[in-house]
């Protein structure tokens, strides 16, 4: 009889260990304190990511779970802990869980762009930039992805403000989007996943944009500021970046690093991670890019004949090995959360100054969506982390004569007046209770942490939020035009709710030169990702007289 009991215990043990191991290996949600990123243990987090372009859907690399599983292992091997995703297919929400979990298993976070607001193309362009269509789309993505602890940040723009002064007029809409999405996130009861914006490699607007999007109340500011840097990143350029953001009061990361495309020895990575003055200011970077690229930026090349970035990579380029070495040898200087004292001062909002190309007045009101009632957004319970189903194999009993042990065990059982089945059931029940209690404690602590930092009051253009008791409801949002949010997370979302269909292009392949020159003499890669089928145009777009000339570079 004891052999049966031992067999049951040995059979159950791997299952229980796999559950605890799954909890232990799961990535820790990242949060913000001052200018730094931290995981739940209080360790500072530095982004070592890549722009992720792979899979058979060029607009959504998170649909092919098998491909994500393949790439996640190679990403971990090179030393990456994050991927930067340009877009996902909102008509397929609920089908991204597989990729998110594969990245999670390898300790990889996902920085996801929600989409792109159309740029302003002329001073007389009064088309609404932030409206209910965008709100519906982006909040549906937030609903679908917020359950994942490895969701690093939601992005609300990629170079929307770029090389001409008139594009700065979209800035209030970007800030309004940050305000409404953060309010939606908090009313849902989700953890405070950062809202980010990514600026282009336009020195004239880089710091002004950062100041405007992060000034004023935290409720209407972006939490994380990304910068794209390309071409010949000389020491002077890196020093200017360090000087520009030395006193910035939010975390700054490099969303795209395309420095030195010919050599790709990643000396800039060594600078940002290895020199204390840089690691004090910046929280990491994404390397441009993982998969297929005709201009020398890729880390791997796939072997599929259709060149769709499918299957195992056929070639690991020299850049892969170089990056692997730099990341393994460079350890950034970190500060624990408990030891970190935040002392930066928020810079004031910039004033409108046509001489330097900034056309937005600091007092300009942020747009408000007509017909939107934030108070109808209700809380949603957080899904527990799914555990991998483990098929436990029974461990064979010890070989040899066990008759003496068995008889002794049977005597003990008999004297206790309990059957072996009862004891086995009790043992399993106790273990199950322990596991259940640990799981409940884990959920409670995680829930508590996710609610930390949530404002008690949500005052603003959409009136005060509902009381805390309202947040306990598991009902879905009931906004008039948001029937899709009444469905489960795996529900469908219809493209007709989008004001404009905005799909990301695969890298521009218009036959243009790899690098084009801007008026200030700086290089610019011609293969940058832009939006397709929207008012946003690629590098070859010639608006003629509609767009004013670039504003003068300040002396």
């Amino acid at each position: 009889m004891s052999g049966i009991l031992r067999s049951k215990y040995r059979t159950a043990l791997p299952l229980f260990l796999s559950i605890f191991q799954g909890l232990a290996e799961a990535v820790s949600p990242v949060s913000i304190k001052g200018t730094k990123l931290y995981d739940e243990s209080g360790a500072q987090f530095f982004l070592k990511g890549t722009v992720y372009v792979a899979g058979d859907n060029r607009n959504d690399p998170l649909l092919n779970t098998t491909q994500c599983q393949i790439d996640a292992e190679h990403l971990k091997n090179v030393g990456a802990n994050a991927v930067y995703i340009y877009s996902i297919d909102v008509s397929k929400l609920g089908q991204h869980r597989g990729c998110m979990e594969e990245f999670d298993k390898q300790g990889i976070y996902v920085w996801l762009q929600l989409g792109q607001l159309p740029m302003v193309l002329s001073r007389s362009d009064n088309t609404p930039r932030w409206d209910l269509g965008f709100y519906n789309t982006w909040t549906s993505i937030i609903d679908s992805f917020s359950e994942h602890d490895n969701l690093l940040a939601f992005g609300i723009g990629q170079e929307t403000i770029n090389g001409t002064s008139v594009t700065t007029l979209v800035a209030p809409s970007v800030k309004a989007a940050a305000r409404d999405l953060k309010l939606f996130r908090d009313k849902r009861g989700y953890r405070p996943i950062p809202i980010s914006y990514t600026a282009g490699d336009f020195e004239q607007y880089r710091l002004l944009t950062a100041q405007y999007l992060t000034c004023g109340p935290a409720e209407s500011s972006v939490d994380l500021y990304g910068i794209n840097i390309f071409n010949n990143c000389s020491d002077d350029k890196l020093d200017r970046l360090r000087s520009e953001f030395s006193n910035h009061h939010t975390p700054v990361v490099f969303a795209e690093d395309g420095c030195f495309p010919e050599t790709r020895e990643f000396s800039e990575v060594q600078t940002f991670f290895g020199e204390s003055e840089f690691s004090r200011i910046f929280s990491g970077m994404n390397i441009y890019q993982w998969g297929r690229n005709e201009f020398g930026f890729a880390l791997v090349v796939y072997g599929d004949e259709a060149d769709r970035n499918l299957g195992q990579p056929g070639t690991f380029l020299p850049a892969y090995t170089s990056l692997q070495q730099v990341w393994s040898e460079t350890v950034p200087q970190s500060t624990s959360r408990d030891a970190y004292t935040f002392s930066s001062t928020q810079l004031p909002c910039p004033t409108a100054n046509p001489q330097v190309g900034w056309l937005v007045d600091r007092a300009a009101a942020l747009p408000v969506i007509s017909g939107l009632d934030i108070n109808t957004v209700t809380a949603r319970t957080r899904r527990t982390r799914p555990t991998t189903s483990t098929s436990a194999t029974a461990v064979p009993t010890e070989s040899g004569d066990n008759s003496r042990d068995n008889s002794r065990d049977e005597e003990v059982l008999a004297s206790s007046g309990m059957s072996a089945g009862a004891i086995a059931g009790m043992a399993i029940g106790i273990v199950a209770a322990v596991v259940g209690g640990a799981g409940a404690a884990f959920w409670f602590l995680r829930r508590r942490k996710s609610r930390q930092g949530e404002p008690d009051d949500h005052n603003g253009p959409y009136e005060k939020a509902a009381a805390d008791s309202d947040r306990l409801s598991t009902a879905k949002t009931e906004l008039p035009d948001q029937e899709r949010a009444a469905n489960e997370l795996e529900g469908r979302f219809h493209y007709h709710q989008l004001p404009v269909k905005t799909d990301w292009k695969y890298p521009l392949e218009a036959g243009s030169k790899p690098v084009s020159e801007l008026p200030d003499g700086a290089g610019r890669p011609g293969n940058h990702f832009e939006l397709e089928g929207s008012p946003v145009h690629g590098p070859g777009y010639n608006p003629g007289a509609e767009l004013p000339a670039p504003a003068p570079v300040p002396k």
Side-chain angles (χ1 to χ4, degrees), residues 412-533:
V412 172
L413 291 174
S415 65
S416 67
M418 297 180 65
S419 67
I423 292 181
M426 179 181 295
I428 294 175
I430 292 174
V431 175
V434 171
V435 172
F442 177 83
W443 179 87
F444 176 78
L445 290 174
R446 180 63 57 81
R447 178 75 172 175
R448 182 179 180 182
K449 287 186 177 183
S450 71
R451 300 295 294 274
Q452 287 178 352
E454 180 180 339
D456 292 331
D457 294 324
H458 296 286
N459 297 316
Y462 298 108
E463 302 176 355
K464 185 178 177 63
D468 286 347
S469 59
D470 292 335
R471 297 195 188 104
L472 299 178
S473 169
T474 58
K476 309 302 183 286
T477 186
E478 301 299 337
L479 294 175
D481 293 327
Q482 284 186 283
E483 296 88 350
R484 50 90 192 151
N487 299 324
E488 294 297 327
L489 294 180
E490 290 80 9
R492 297 292 184 263
F493 183 80
H494 300 291
Y495 256 109
H496 71 265
Q497 292 180 261
L498 273 169
V500 179
K501 186 177 184 293
T502 54
D503 291 335
W504 287 101
K505 285 183 178 179
Y506 207 59
L508 180 71
E509 300 166 10
S512 58
K513 296 180 180 180
V515 176
S516 57
E517 294 296 323
L518 296 177
D520 61 0
R524 179 66 179 160
N527 64 313
H528 196 65
F529 281 77
E530 304 291 349
L531 284 174
E532 183 175 39

Side-chain angles (χ1 to χ4, degrees), residues 1-11 395-398 402 405-406 409-410 413:
M1 186 69 70
S2 64
I4 296 175
L5 285 174
R6 283 197 297 270
S7 177
K8 287 185 177 180
Y9 298 150
R10 290 174 183 145
T11 302
V395 180
T397 58
E398 298 173 356
N402 295 321
D405 292 337
N406 290 347
D409 290 340
E410 288 171 1
L413 291 174

Side-chain angles (χ1 to χ4, degrees), residues 155-171:
I156 57 172
Q158 168 94 357
E159 302 191 7
T160 318
I161 300 169
N162 55 46
T164 56
S165 59
V166 71
T167 61
T168 65
L169 294 174
V170 78

Side-chain angles (χ1 to χ4, degrees), residues 391-405:
S391 178
T393 303
V395 180
T397 58
E398 298 173 356
S399 60
D401 184 6
N402 295 321
S403 59
R404 188 170 65 88
D405 292 337

Side-chain angles (χ1 to χ4, degrees), residues 200-511:
D201 196 1
F202 305 103
E203 186 173 355
Q204 185 172 350
Y205 303 103
R206 193 166 51 212
L207 185 57
L208 286 168
T209 302
Q211 290 176 354
Y212 179 81
L213 294 182
T214 62
C215 70
E219 290 80 7
S220 57
S221 299
V222 299
D223 307 303
L224 180 67
Y225 192 69
I227 303 172
N228 296 339
I229 54 173
F230 281 88
N231 300 301
N232 186 10
C233 301
S234 63
D235 291 341
D236 288 342
K237 181 174 185 178
L238 299 183
D239 286 339
R240 288 198 303 272
L241 287 167
R242 175 183 55 79
S243 178
E244 283 181 21
F245 292 94
S246 60
N247 294 318
H248 197 63
H249 61 280
T250 64
V252 181
V253 295
F254 288 85
E256 296 177 3
D257 167 35
C259 294
F260 311 108
E262 288 96 10
T263 59
R264 296 294 270 181
E265 294 177 354
F266 301 106
S267 59
E268 77 281 6
V269 178
Q270 195 162 20
T271 297
F272 279 108
F273 286 113
E275 297 186 14
S276 59
E277 274 303 297
F278 284 90
S279 59
R280 178 184 66 84
I281 299 168
F282 302 106
S283 295
M285 58 173 53
N286 295 310
I287 304 303
Y288 185 89
Q289 64 178 19
W290 176 251
R292 173 180 182 265
N293 187 284
E294 293 82 2
F295 298 92
F297 287 106
L299 298 178
V300 300
V301 175
Y302 293 84
D304 59 303
E305 294 181 0
D307 201 14
R308 294 184 299 162
N309 291 343
L310 282 175
Q312 288 285 349
T315 304
F316 291 87
L317 298 175
Y320 182 97
T321 304
S322 297
L323 181 62
Q324 185 181 50
Q325 181 176 353
V326 171
W327 270 345
S328 66
E329 295 176 350
T330 308
V331 180
Q333 181 175 319
S334 62
T335 305
S336 69
R337 182 168 51 202
D338 292 339
Y340 173 50
T341 301
F342 177 54
S343 59
S344 297
T345 303
Q346 185 184 86
L347 296 176
C349 294
T351 58
N353 187 346
Q355 295 302 313
V356 298
W358 188 260
L359 305 183
V360 179
D361 186 77
R362 69 172 65 182
L366 302 183
V368 176
I369 298 176
S370 176
L372 176 63
D373 184 1
I374 292 288
N375 288 319
T376 62
V377 178
T378 53
R380 174 174 287 177
T381 55
R382 188 179 189 278
R383 290 191 175 191
T384 57
R385 172 182 294 279
T387 56
T388 302
S389 177
T390 303
S391 178
T393 303
V395 180
T397 58
E398 298 173 356
S399 60
D401 184 6
N402 295 321
S403 59
R404 188 170 65 88
D405 292 337
N406 290 347
S407 61
R408 183 176 180 181
D409 290 340
E410 288 171 1
E411 290 174 3
V412 172
L413 291 174
S415 65
S416 67
M418 297 180 65
S419 67
I423 292 181
M426 179 181 295
I428 294 175
I430 292 174
V431 175
V434 171
V435 172
F442 177 83
W443 179 87
F444 176 78
L445 290 174
R446 180 63 57 81
R447 178 75 172 175
R448 182 179 180 182
K449 287 186 177 183
S450 71
R451 300 295 294 274
Q452 287 178 352
E454 180 180 339
D456 292 331
D457 294 324
H458 296 286
N459 297 316
Y462 298 108
E463 302 176 355
K464 185 178 177 63
D468 286 347
S469 59
D470 292 335
R471 297 195 188 104
L472 299 178
S473 169
T474 58
K476 309 302 183 286
T477 186
E478 301 299 337
L479 294 175
D481 293 327
Q482 284 186 283
E483 296 88 350
R484 50 90 192 151
N487 299 324
E488 294 297 327
L489 294 180
E490 290 80 9
R492 297 292 184 263
F493 183 80
H494 300 291
Y495 256 109
H496 71 265
Q497 292 180 261
L498 273 169
V500 179
K501 186 177 184 293
T502 54
D503 291 335
W504 287 101
K505 285 183 178 179
Y506 207 59
L508 180 71
E509 300 166 10

Side-chain angles (χ1 to χ4, degrees), residues 142-204:
I142 290 175
D143 270 337
S144 185
F145 281 85
S146 289
E147 66 173 307
H148 298 287
D149 288 340
N150 63 327
L151 197 291
L152 180 67
F154 289 117
I156 57 172
Q158 168 94 357
E159 302 191 7
T160 318
I161 300 169
N162 55 46
T164 56
S165 59
V166 71
T167 61
T168 65
L169 294 174
V170 78
S173 293
V174 176
K175 202 156 187 172
R179 175 199 65 205
D180 293 348
L181 295 177
K182 290 170 78 170
L183 181 54
F184 176 87
R185 176 200 67 191
D186 294 344
K187 289 206 44 108
R188 277 292 203 213
Y190 300 142
R191 64 183 174 88
I193 300 172
I195 300 297
S196 70
Y197 173 82
T198 298
D201 196 1
F202 305 103
E203 186 173 355
Q204 185 172 350

